[in-house]
Amino acid sequence: MTDTAVLAAPVAGGAASRPPARRRPRLRLRLAALGFMAPVVIFLAVFFVYPIIRGFVLSMQDFGPSSFITGDADFVGIDNYVTVVTDPIFGTIAWHTVLFTVVSLAGQFAIGMALALFFTRRFPLSATFRSLILLPWLLPLIVSATAWRWIFDQQFGVLNAAIGSQVGWLTDPAVSLWAVIIANIWLGIPFNMVLLHGGLQGIPESLYEAAALDGASRWRTFWSITWPLLRPVTAVTLLLGLVYTIKVFDVIWILTKGGPANSSHTIATWAYEQSFTDLQFGVGAAAGEILVVVALIFGFIYIRAQRKETFG
Amino acid sequence: MITKTTRLRRGIDLVIAIVACGFLLFPLYWMVNVSLTKPQNLIQTPPSLFPSDPTLDGYVQALSTQLPNLVTSLVISIGCVILTLAIALPAAFAMAKFKVRGTGAVMFVFLLAQMIPGIVLVTALFAIYNALGLLNTYQGLILADATASVPFAVIILRAFMLGIPDELIEAARIDGASNWRAFVSIVIPLSRNSIVTAGLFSFLFAWADFLNANSLTSGNSIVPFTLGLYRYIGSTTTNWNGIMATAVIASIPAAILLIVAQKYVAAGVTAGAVKD
């Protein structure tokens, strides 16, 4: 690779010989670029693009426990999709997914926005506090989830002690979904705060000064200046948050494993259970593909929103 | 000039910040608190807000049972950092400094990579690994973990390398240096900070991985600490100080990252949302 990467700059002597000499460097440049790009292209092809295709094929195969050993899996067309959609639990789980996503997003966004607004104020140690709040985002999820497991404990948990109740946060089917939503909101606050804080920095100070001169209240200033000018960033934050939230797996799996009695399953955890607990990989893959389609739809809306933000 | 009211206002803001931070970081405080509490004191109600009778037994327990798992995670994470940088550095250089036609396509694949649910990818990887014999191997886990860190690293490194003046590389070329030489002796040293950042984040991604480990390994062949901790939670109802001590020890890399690369952490959170 080193050799093909040589640039022929010094070879190109004399003004007369320049035009033909120029061609070769360009070709060599392209070869060099190819050499530098080769590892990433190969890696992406093998460990990302191919698995996506394999996943799609898998969703149309009868890949069960025996397929591990034999490696054979019959093509079954859309059978797995039919199995997923006609499963009596599917409607409930789809509803959980919507509830989990919408409530998580709303909570993360509201708290993230409040913090972002607060941190535009000037006070000592502001930057330090702001980066401390990022800690939940940096910690391994298993660590935070472990902390929440004990906080939510019915008998000895600090949450029940604080509110003086005996709620079985992780064991009562009526509240388990809310427990994982609470933990997930907490996890998503840093992401929302950072994005929105960045957006707020971009609003010109002079607008606020003008509003202050006109005697506008803080409430009025927020709705007339901050909110409309922040809209592109808001859109990007919410859309990206949605794409991330819809595929959340670890929090739920570690806290409740989707239970008890499927009460906190979302499509993501249910699909995983089909594959890795029930060993029906074809069915699990089909449920996963449904998630892919939803994520891609909002993903493309996100890309468009971001273009708009960039090019006005 | 700072007036009295301004000073008062800043004081109030500081208090609000302390309260908000305390509230948000409470789960992490609680983790530390429990890690220092004796098991018999953990089952009293209401729970004690401070480790009034602290003990390091939890840490002794954590190290005696989870140390091999932490070492396993360390090996996988370091492997992932090396692999990620080896792939991402040349790619970022080419995408920043040659006008490569595929740049747009690669960035698009990166965007896609963020959207595809991890469970979908890992289910497919399972089928592939099963056929290739990569289940229960270090290589398999490192490669799977790198699918998350490579896009991230390329985005961070490329953004930084775009800022390296073309003239520097041109000058090296005129002196007869090959592109490879320019890359190794100019671009890499200049990008040191961003390499550290990308490396730290890659480390953290692999360190935190639970999904790949839980899906692509079985039994006790390879047990990273995430899996060890997960099984620990499931198996015990009394040793929560040991569990929390493990969690505290496992948080150390993240804490180091926050201190060492504070400036870049916010950039890391938003790297997914970068333009292009």
Side-chain angles (χ1 to χ4, degrees):
Chain A
M1 192 169 91
T2 316
D3 288 340
T4 57
V6 178
L7 239 191
V11 186
S17 62
R18 206 161 255 173
R22 252 199 157 159
R23 278 227 151 127
R24 280 186 56 201
R26 199 169 282 171
L27 179 72
R28 287 197 171 189
L29 203 66
R30 201 174 279 173
L31 276 175
L34 214 66
F36 280 103
M37 291 296 283
V40 86
V41 170
I42 294 169
F43 179 77
L44 282 179
V46 176
F47 285 94
F48 184 69
V49 178
Y50 175 60
I52 288 178
I53 297 165
R54 183 71 188 87
F56 184 61
V57 172
L58 190 62
S59 75
M60 292 186 294
Q61 283 180 317
D62 181 19
F63 198 103
S66 62
S67 310
F68 295 95
I69 305 136
T70 58
D72 295 328
D74 292 334
F75 181 82
V76 292
I78 61 161
D79 279 11
N80 290 329
Y81 290 89
V82 174
T83 308
V84 169
V85 179
T86 55
D87 194 295
I89 202 75
F90 183 73
T92 315
I93 283 159
W95 168 241
H96 287 169
T97 311
V98 172
L99 205 63
F100 178 84
T101 307
V102 171
V103 179
S104 288
L105 269 184
Q108 294 168 359
F109 182 80
I111 299 172
M113 177 70 109
L115 286 168
L117 284 169
F118 175 71
F119 279 110
T120 57
R121 300 164 72 98
R122 281 191 204 93
F123 60 91
L125 296 176
S126 161
T128 310
F129 281 112
R130 197 149 44 86
S131 54
L132 270 179
I133 290 179
L134 299 182
L135 251 181
W137 185 83
L138 283 175
L139 290 184
L141 215 133
I142 183 97
V143 165
S144 332
T146 303
W148 281 102
R149 268 280 279 258
W150 187 241
I151 288 170
F152 278 135
D153 190 85
Q154 182 168 12
Q155 240 186 316
F156 310 116
V158 68
L159 181 58
N160 273 346
I163 61 174
S165 70
Q166 280 293 315
V167 179
W169 291 100
L170 303 175
T171 48
D172 180 352
V175 291
S176 61
L177 184 64
W178 295 101
V180 295
I181 289 174
I182 291 171
N184 192 54
I185 288 177
W186 180 78
L187 284 165
I189 291 170
F191 173 77
N192 281 264
M193 182 190 78
V194 168
L195 247 62
L196 294 171
H197 189 260
L200 289 172
Q201 298 309 85
I203 299 175
E205 194 70 31
S206 56
L207 290 176
Y208 290 112
E209 281 159 15
L213 278 179
D214 289 345
S217 69
R218 230 182 256 171
W219 186 249
R220 186 68 206 275
T221 311
F222 177 79
W223 288 111
S224 308
I225 296 175
T226 312
W227 186 250
L229 285 174
L230 201 61
R231 244 188 59 190
V233 179
T234 304
V236 164
T237 307
L238 285 174
L239 282 166
L240 203 58
L242 193 145
V243 172
Y244 288 163
T245 309
I246 213 167
K247 62 180 186 182
V248 162
F249 164 78
D250 303 37
V251 198
I252 303 176
W253 195 258
I254 295 165
L255 283 179
T256 64
K257 250 189 165 183
N262 298 324
S263 60
S264 57
H265 258 317
T266 60
I267 296 179
T269 55
W270 189 73
Y272 188 82
E273 190 178 75
Q274 295 302 309
S275 297
F276 289 93
T277 308
D278 301 343
L279 303 179
Q280 292 302 327
F281 286 86
V283 178
E289 291 301 320
I290 295 173
L291 221 50
V292 170
V293 171
V294 178
L296 285 184
I297 290 172
F298 287 102
F300 283 114
I301 300 176
Y302 157 72
I303 293 171
R304 286 195 57 182
Q306 207 185 38
R307 289 241 169 94
K308 250 188 202 155
E309 195 206 342
T310 315
F311 303 114
Chain B
M1 199 184 87
I2 296 173
T3 61
K4 216 174 176 182
T5 44
T6 314
R7 203 177 290 164
L8 181 69
R9 223 206 57 204
R10 287 186 181 178
I12 294 172
D13 282 348
L14 183 62
V15 172
I16 297 175
I18 292 170
V19 172
C21 254
F23 194 73
L24 282 169
L25 298 182
F26 178 79
L28 306 181
Y29 166 72
W30 201 244
M31 174 174 92
V32 176
N33 181 27
V34 172
S35 76
L36 294 169
T37 308
K38 288 178 177 158
Q40 64 264 33
N41 294 341
L42 284 175
I43 51 169
Q44 67 184 25
T45 40
S48 165
L49 284 177
F50 307 97
S52 46
D53 181 15
T55 168
L56 288 174
D57 286 358
Y59 288 86
V60 174
Q61 248 183 64
L63 288 176
S64 65
T65 60
Q66 304 293 318
L67 191 61
N69 302 343
L70 289 162
V71 173
T72 301
S73 287
L74 197 66
V75 171
I76 294 170
S77 304
I78 291 172
C80 182
V81 170
I82 294 169
L83 178 70
T84 302
L85 291 180
I87 295 172
L89 272 171
F93 173 55
M95 288 163 78
K97 288 299 161 202
F98 302 90
K99 314 248 157 340
V100 188
R101 214 177 282 155
T103 302
V106 174
M107 291 303 269
F108 183 74
V109 173
F110 287 170
L111 260 176
L112 273 184
Q114 295 180 51
M115 292 167 193
I116 302 297
I119 57 138
V120 172
L121 213 56
V122 86
T123 308
L125 277 180
F126 180 88
I128 296 169
Y129 279 19
N130 183 50
L132 296 179
L134 276 171
L135 290 173
N136 294 315
T137 62
Y138 280 92
Q139 311 87 285
L141 271 186
I142 290 170
L143 285 162
D145 287 351
T147 56
S149 53
V150 164
F152 189 86
V154 174
I155 289 171
I156 286 196
L157 293 170
R158 173 175 174 263
F160 183 86
M161 289 177 188
L162 281 172
I164 296 176
D166 285 337
E167 292 79 35
L168 280 178
I169 297 160
E170 278 310 312
R173 281 174 183 160
I174 287 164
D175 288 346
S178 65
N179 284 313
W180 180 252
R181 264 311 283 278
F183 172 59
V184 171
S185 50
I186 297 178
V187 176
I188 289 186
L190 279 175
S191 314
R192 212 181 52 219
N193 283 347
S194 62
I195 293 172
V196 170
T197 309
L200 281 167
F201 273 103
S202 306
F203 183 92
L204 214 57
F205 283 169
W207 181 256
D209 166 69
F210 168 73
L211 180 59
N212 291 332
N214 195 41
S215 318
L216 304 175
T217 70
S218 56
N220 290 321
S221 51
I222 298 176
V223 184
F225 88 88
T226 48
L227 219 49
L229 194 51
Y230 179 65
R231 290 177 188 167
Y232 203 172
I233 308 172
S235 69
T236 180
T237 46
T238 50
N239 285 337
W240 275 89
N241 59 337
I243 292 175
M244 291 301 189
T246 312
V248 172
I249 296 170
S251 310
I252 292 172
I256 293 175
L257 181 70
L258 193 66
I259 295 164
V260 175
Q262 207 196 73
K263 293 197 274 198
Y264 305 104
V265 169
V269 177
T270 53
V274 286
K275 303 196 168 83
D276 269 340

